[in-house]
Amino acid sequence: MPTFTAADGTALAYHLRGRGAPLAVLPGGPMRASAYLGDLGGLTAHRRLALLDLRGTGDSGTPDDPATYRCDRMVDDVERWRAHLGLERMDLLAHSAAGSLALLYAARHPHRIRRLALITPNPSALGLRATPADRLAAARLRADEPWFGRAFPAYEAWLAGDADFDEVFLPFFYGRWDDTARAHTGHEEAQTNDEAAERYFAEGAFTPDATRAALAALTAPVLIHAGEYDGGPTPALARRAAEHLPGAEVNVQPGAGHYPWLDDPGHFVRRVLAFLGEDGDAPR
């Protein structure tokens, strides 16, 4: 397991999987160990994945200062990792909450990005975020599912702040609530640093106006890959985020939730490879 050292002395780990041109991968959660990404639906057959464990997660060390769990504070970790990997420019893939980390990185270091793939990203860095109404509208698309009758009232109460998180509504985060999805969510608690997650979106993490202005300098192609059934981001929110990224394209995966590589691995890999290029030379 390779490691490198952050500017504050924290030891950070990453994992190498697969073969082909390198693809740097940032995990979401927020603050969930990269293990949950698996092989990204078989993407490892085409690209060499370098999956970072963010500070305080997975095999990475715990920083002395917990304030460094804030999203913007970790941009320097990503830049130090790029230099450690020896990449002049990198193909970068980020999932979920890491979408904001990747956007902040791209705003600060636009010349270091060759291609940017944002998978069901949280676009808070752009001043955009899924609302309870967005999530409930997406949930209603699942009304024909056998578990919907029990799950929807609990989900609605949680989003309104009237109830605690309840595992009964976990199916809303997946396009298919099957054994694969159940196994995947079963590892979430052990893989997530809850203290770090609470600090990730802390006040001061984002300056959306400045970030949007800085992203005007980003010339790299950008893909925003959304799931048809995902409530955060919904396809509509993904399209709004794309408006702030020069030349960004949006793809909506049919029947997918927040983890599209689990719902239809073949579709996910084909679409991401069409953007990234199997050999690292994707079409512009």
PDB file of all heavy atoms in Angstrom, residues 5 9 49 53 60 81 86 99 117 130 140 147 174 194 220 234 257 264 277:
ATOM      1  N   THR A   5       3.230  11.897   2.230  1.00  0.00           N
ATOM      2  CA  THR A   5       3.058  12.731   3.420  1.00  0.00           C
ATOM      3  C   THR A   5       2.469  14.080   3.047  1.00  0.00           C
ATOM      4  O   THR A   5       2.983  14.772   2.159  1.00  0.00           O
ATOM      5  CB  THR A   5       4.399  12.940   4.142  1.00  0.00           C
ATOM      6  OG1 THR A   5       4.959  11.652   4.453  1.00  0.00           O
ATOM      7  CG2 THR A   5       4.210  13.728   5.428  1.00  0.00           C
ATOM      8  N   GLY A   9       2.242  16.834   7.721  1.00  0.00           N
ATOM      9  CA  GLY A   9       2.879  15.636   8.264  1.00  0.00           C
ATOM     10  C   GLY A   9       1.987  14.418   8.345  1.00  0.00           C
ATOM     11  O   GLY A   9       2.448  13.343   8.744  1.00  0.00           O
ATOM     12  N   LEU A  49      -6.430   2.446 -11.599  1.00  0.00           N
ATOM     13  CA  LEU A  49      -7.040   3.333 -10.620  1.00  0.00           C
ATOM     14  C   LEU A  49      -6.096   3.584  -9.450  1.00  0.00           C
ATOM     15  O   LEU A  49      -5.533   2.649  -8.884  1.00  0.00           O
ATOM     16  CB  LEU A  49      -8.341   2.737 -10.084  1.00  0.00           C
ATOM     17  CG  LEU A  49      -9.423   2.340 -11.090  1.00  0.00           C
ATOM     18  CD1 LEU A  49     -10.691   1.928 -10.350  1.00  0.00           C
ATOM     19  CD2 LEU A  49      -9.704   3.455 -12.068  1.00  0.00           C
ATOM     20  N   ASP A  53      -7.366   7.415  -0.003  1.00  0.00           N
ATOM     21  CA  ASP A  53      -8.075   7.452   1.275  1.00  0.00           C
ATOM     22  C   ASP A  53      -7.847   8.840   1.856  1.00  0.00           C
ATOM     23  O   ASP A  53      -6.719   9.203   2.200  1.00  0.00           O
ATOM     24  CB  ASP A  53      -7.533   6.393   2.244  1.00  0.00           C
ATOM     25  CG  ASP A  53      -8.060   4.994   1.958  1.00  0.00           C
ATOM     26  OD1 ASP A  53      -9.108   4.869   1.302  1.00  0.00           O
ATOM     27  OD2 ASP A  53      -7.400   4.026   2.384  1.00  0.00           O
ATOM     28  N   SER A  60      -5.335   5.843   5.711  1.00  0.00           N
ATOM     29  CA  SER A  60      -4.628   7.109   5.920  1.00  0.00           C
ATOM     30  C   SER A  60      -4.588   7.482   7.397  1.00  0.00           C
ATOM     31  O   SER A  60      -5.424   7.042   8.198  1.00  0.00           O
ATOM     32  CB  SER A  60      -5.303   8.242   5.128  1.00  0.00           C
ATOM     33  OG  SER A  60      -5.009   8.129   3.752  1.00  0.00           O
ATOM     34  N   TRP A  81      -0.604  14.830  -3.741  1.00  0.00           N
ATOM     35  CA  TRP A  81      -0.756  13.466  -4.270  1.00  0.00           C
ATOM     36  C   TRP A  81      -0.436  13.437  -5.758  1.00  0.00           C
ATOM     37  O   TRP A  81       0.266  12.541  -6.224  1.00  0.00           O
ATOM     38  CB  TRP A  81      -2.184  13.005  -4.003  1.00  0.00           C
ATOM     39  CG  TRP A  81      -2.514  11.605  -4.396  1.00  0.00           C
ATOM     40  CD1 TRP A  81      -1.750  10.487  -4.231  1.00  0.00           C
ATOM     41  CD2 TRP A  81      -3.744  11.159  -4.989  1.00  0.00           C
ATOM     42  NE1 TRP A  81      -2.416   9.375  -4.679  1.00  0.00           N
ATOM     43  CE2 TRP A  81      -3.636   9.761  -5.141  1.00  0.00           C
ATOM     44  CE3 TRP A  81      -4.910  11.804  -5.376  1.00  0.00           C
ATOM     45  CZ2 TRP A  81      -4.673   8.999  -5.694  1.00  0.00           C
ATOM     46  CZ3 TRP A  81      -5.939  11.056  -5.915  1.00  0.00           C
ATOM     47  CH2 TRP A  81      -5.821   9.669  -6.084  1.00  0.00           C
ATOM     48  N   GLY A  86       3.600  11.670  -9.893  1.00  0.00           N
ATOM     49  CA  GLY A  86       4.426  12.019 -11.038  1.00  0.00           C
ATOM     50  C   GLY A  86       3.636  12.388 -12.277  1.00  0.00           C
ATOM     51  O   GLY A  86       4.123  12.224 -13.405  1.00  0.00           O
ATOM     52  N   GLY A  99     -17.100  15.386  -5.264  1.00  0.00           N
ATOM     53  CA  GLY A  99     -17.287  16.276  -6.395  1.00  0.00           C
ATOM     54  C   GLY A  99     -16.921  17.704  -6.040  1.00  0.00           C
ATOM     55  O   GLY A  99     -16.307  18.422  -6.833  1.00  0.00           O
ATOM     56  N   ALA A 117     -14.040  13.726 -14.394  1.00  0.00           N
ATOM     57  CA  ALA A 117     -15.298  12.975 -14.380  1.00  0.00           C
ATOM     58  C   ALA A 117     -15.918  13.085 -13.000  1.00  0.00           C
ATOM     59  O   ALA A 117     -15.333  12.621 -12.011  1.00  0.00           O
ATOM     60  CB  ALA A 117     -15.056  11.513 -14.736  1.00  0.00           C
ATOM     61  N   ALA A 130     -28.596  19.675  -3.445  1.00  0.00           N
ATOM     62  CA  ALA A 130     -29.907  19.028  -3.526  1.00  0.00           C
ATOM     63  C   ALA A 130     -30.772  19.457  -2.348  1.00  0.00           C
ATOM     64  O   ALA A 130     -30.306  19.523  -1.212  1.00  0.00           O
ATOM     65  CB  ALA A 130     -29.737  17.513  -3.534  1.00  0.00           C
ATOM     66  N   ARG A 140     -40.159   9.601  -5.321  1.00  0.00           N
ATOM     67  CA  ARG A 140     -41.495   9.252  -5.827  1.00  0.00           C
ATOM     68  C   ARG A 140     -41.431   8.469  -7.138  1.00  0.00           C
ATOM     69  O   ARG A 140     -42.403   7.796  -7.509  1.00  0.00           O
ATOM     70  CB  ARG A 140     -42.331  10.513  -5.991  1.00  0.00           C
ATOM     71  CG  ARG A 140     -42.743  11.153  -4.663  1.00  0.00           C
ATOM     72  CD  ARG A 140     -43.729  12.300  -4.870  1.00  0.00           C
ATOM     73  NE  ARG A 140     -44.059  12.936  -3.591  1.00  0.00           N
ATOM     74  CZ  ARG A 140     -43.479  14.034  -3.130  1.00  0.00           C
ATOM     75  NH1 ARG A 140     -42.522  14.642  -3.854  1.00  0.00           N
ATOM     76  NH2 ARG A 140     -43.827  14.545  -1.958  1.00  0.00           N
ATOM     77  N   TRP A 147     -40.879  -1.963  -1.494  1.00  0.00           N
ATOM     78  CA  TRP A 147     -40.446  -1.388  -0.226  1.00  0.00           C
ATOM     79  C   TRP A 147     -40.854   0.084  -0.067  1.00  0.00           C
ATOM     80  O   TRP A 147     -40.635   0.689   0.986  1.00  0.00           O
ATOM     81  CB  TRP A 147     -38.921  -1.485  -0.093  1.00  0.00           C
ATOM     82  CG  TRP A 147     -38.163  -1.172  -1.350  1.00  0.00           C
ATOM     83  CD1 TRP A 147     -37.652  -2.064  -2.245  1.00  0.00           C
ATOM     84  CD2 TRP A 147     -37.846   0.135  -1.865  1.00  0.00           C
ATOM     85  NE1 TRP A 147     -37.031  -1.407  -3.283  1.00  0.00           N
ATOM     86  CE2 TRP A 147     -37.136  -0.057  -3.079  1.00  0.00           C
ATOM     87  CE3 TRP A 147     -38.081   1.432  -1.425  1.00  0.00           C
ATOM     88  CZ2 TRP A 147     -36.665   1.008  -3.848  1.00  0.00           C
ATOM     89  CZ3 TRP A 147     -37.623   2.500  -2.197  1.00  0.00           C
ATOM     90  CH2 TRP A 147     -36.929   2.284  -3.383  1.00  0.00           C
ATOM     91  N   TYR A 174     -30.047   3.576  -4.225  1.00  0.00           N
ATOM     92  CA  TYR A 174     -29.608   2.589  -5.208  1.00  0.00           C
ATOM     93  C   TYR A 174     -30.660   2.428  -6.288  1.00  0.00           C
ATOM     94  O   TYR A 174     -31.862   2.489  -6.017  1.00  0.00           O
ATOM     95  CB  TYR A 174     -29.362   1.233  -4.538  1.00  0.00           C
ATOM     96  CG  TYR A 174     -28.225   1.260  -3.539  1.00  0.00           C
ATOM     97  CD1 TYR A 174     -28.446   1.663  -2.217  1.00  0.00           C
ATOM     98  CD2 TYR A 174     -26.933   0.898  -3.904  1.00  0.00           C
ATOM     99  CE1 TYR A 174     -27.407   1.711  -1.296  1.00  0.00           C
ATOM    100  CE2 TYR A 174     -25.896   0.933  -2.989  1.00  0.00           C
ATOM    101  CZ  TYR A 174     -26.130   1.337  -1.692  1.00  0.00           C
ATOM    102  OH  TYR A 174     -25.093   1.383  -0.778  1.00  0.00           O
ATOM    103  N   ASP A 194     -17.167   9.526  11.030  1.00  0.00           N
ATOM    104  CA  ASP A 194     -18.304  10.409  11.277  1.00  0.00           C
ATOM    105  C   ASP A 194     -17.873  11.806  11.732  1.00  0.00           C
ATOM    106  O   ASP A 194     -18.479  12.813  11.336  1.00  0.00           O
ATOM    107  CB  ASP A 194     -19.239   9.789  12.317  1.00  0.00           C
ATOM    108  CG  ASP A 194     -19.977   8.572  11.792  1.00  0.00           C
ATOM    109  OD1 ASP A 194     -20.217   8.515  10.565  1.00  0.00           O
ATOM    110  OD2 ASP A 194     -20.319   7.680  12.586  1.00  0.00           O
ATOM    111  N   ALA A 220     -10.076  21.774 -19.482  1.00  0.00           N
ATOM    112  CA  ALA A 220     -10.199  20.321 -19.586  1.00  0.00           C
ATOM    113  C   ALA A 220     -11.654  19.914 -19.798  1.00  0.00           C
ATOM    114  O   ALA A 220     -12.573  20.547 -19.268  1.00  0.00           O
ATOM    115  CB  ALA A 220      -9.668  19.664 -18.315  1.00  0.00           C
ATOM    116  N   THR A 234     -30.039  15.363  -8.570  1.00  0.00           N
ATOM    117  CA  THR A 234     -30.986  14.957  -9.594  1.00  0.00           C
ATOM    118  C   THR A 234     -30.377  15.287 -10.957  1.00  0.00           C
ATOM    119  O   THR A 234     -29.449  16.097 -11.058  1.00  0.00           O
ATOM    120  CB  THR A 234     -32.301  15.726  -9.452  1.00  0.00           C
ATOM    121  OG1 THR A 234     -32.016  17.137  -9.600  1.00  0.00           O
ATOM    122  CG2 THR A 234     -32.951  15.474  -8.097  1.00  0.00           C
ATOM    123  N   GLY A 257     -29.060   4.908  -9.394  1.00  0.00           N
ATOM    124  CA  GLY A 257     -29.152   5.753  -8.227  1.00  0.00           C
ATOM    125  C   GLY A 257     -27.832   6.466  -7.995  1.00  0.00           C
ATOM    126  O   GLY A 257     -27.187   6.928  -8.939  1.00  0.00           O
ATOM    127  N   ASP A 264     -25.668  -0.718 -13.005  1.00  0.00           N
ATOM    128  CA  ASP A 264     -25.443  -1.263 -14.348  1.00  0.00           C
ATOM    129  C   ASP A 264     -23.973  -1.052 -14.682  1.00  0.00           C
ATOM    130  O   ASP A 264     -23.604  -0.053 -15.314  1.00  0.00           O
ATOM    131  CB  ASP A 264     -26.343  -0.566 -15.377  1.00  0.00           C
ATOM    132  CG  ASP A 264     -26.264  -1.200 -16.763  1.00  0.00           C
ATOM    133  OD1 ASP A 264     -25.291  -1.928 -17.037  1.00  0.00           O
ATOM    134  OD2 ASP A 264     -27.182  -0.958 -17.576  1.00  0.00           O
ATOM    135  N   GLY A 277     -11.388   7.760 -22.369  1.00  0.00           N
ATOM    136  CA  GLY A 277     -10.532   7.066 -23.295  1.00  0.00           C
ATOM    137  C   GLY A 277      -9.842   5.901 -22.616  1.00  0.00           C
ATOM    138  O   GLY A 277      -9.283   6.032 -21.524  1.00  0.00           O
TER     139      GLY A 277
END
